[in-house]
């Protein structure tokens, strides 16, 4: 998993908290996301993008890490506890401070929400999409976000 990370230094990747991945239901996940329990402003996301496994390091402001806002996740469109997460761009642009930010479910459980495996805390706006369509929309939004992080400049 560590080898997949594209937008942080090797030292940061070595020190990164990685949860126990044994038993992870990969077939039900569009991406694997987690927060560092000892540093809640650090979040990580691993997914397939263009046939390759990619890992993205994300940062939250201290305020967002403490108290997520009640808003819509830009990836899975669940209305609930979401936090602005900022990813440094891969390569030189990221080292020069360029980054991409988006609102993501604070628990990074978008894959579970779109499949109805985890229920959001609050009632959702009515939606007519099937689970497959919701999964496809999540994958599409995730792909756009990944492309923005990976694209230089
Ligand atoms: Zn979400």
């Amino acid at each position: 998993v560590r080898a997949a990370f594209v937008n942080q230094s090797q030292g940061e990747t070595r020190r990164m908290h990685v949860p126990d991945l044994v038993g992870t239901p990969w077939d039900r996940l569009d991406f694997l996301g987690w927060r560092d329990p000892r540093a809640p402003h650090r979040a990580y996301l691993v997914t397939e993008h263009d046939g390759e496994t990619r890992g993205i390091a994300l940062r939250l402001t201290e305020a967002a890490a403490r108290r997520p806002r009640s808003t819509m996740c830009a990836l899975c469109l669940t209305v609930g506890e979401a936090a602005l997460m900022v990813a440094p761009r891969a390569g030189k642009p990221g080292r020069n401070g360029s980054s991409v930010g988006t609102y993501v479910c604070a628990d990074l459980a978008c894959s579970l929400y779109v499949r109805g495996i985890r229920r959001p805390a609050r009632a959702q706006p009515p939606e007519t999409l099937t689970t497959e369509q919701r999964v496809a929309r999540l994958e599409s939004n995730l792909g756009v976000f990944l492309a923005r992080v990976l694209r230089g400049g």
Side-chain angles (χ1 to χ4, degrees), residues 73 75-78 104-105 109-110 113:
C73 168
L75 298 181
C76 70
L77 308 195
T78 296
V104 184
C105 291
C110 304
Y113 291 127

Side-chain angles (χ1 to χ4, degrees), residues 73-149:
C73 168
L75 298 181
C76 70
L77 308 195
T78 296
V79 179
E81 304 254 285
L84 180 62
M85 301 197 188
V86 176
R89 283 203 154 119
K92 200 172 173 208
R95 288 194 293 278
N96 290 336
S98 179
S99 62
V100 184
T102 192
Y103 277 91
V104 184
C105 291
D107 57 6
L108 295 113
C110 304
S111 300
L112 304 183
Y113 291 127
V114 295
R115 289 165 177 77
I117 296 170
R118 188 177 294 181
R119 296 251 165 232
R122 48 179 286 190
Q124 300 296 302
E127 216 172 15
T128 54
L129 297 188
T130 64
T131 298
E132 288 71 30
Q133 288 168 324
R134 284 159 52 98
V135 168
R137 183 175 62 187
L138 168 58
E139 287 174 354
S140 163
N141 291 338
L142 187 61
V144 169
F145 178 64
L146 262 283
R148 288 175 64 204
V149 174

Side-chain angles (χ1 to χ4, degrees), residues 35-43 59-62 64-66 106:
R35 303 267 295 271
D36 184 338
R38 283 178 305 182
H41 64 287
R42 293 176 186 273
R59 293 291 174 269
L60 290 73
T61 64
E62 297 286 348
R66 270 200 309 276

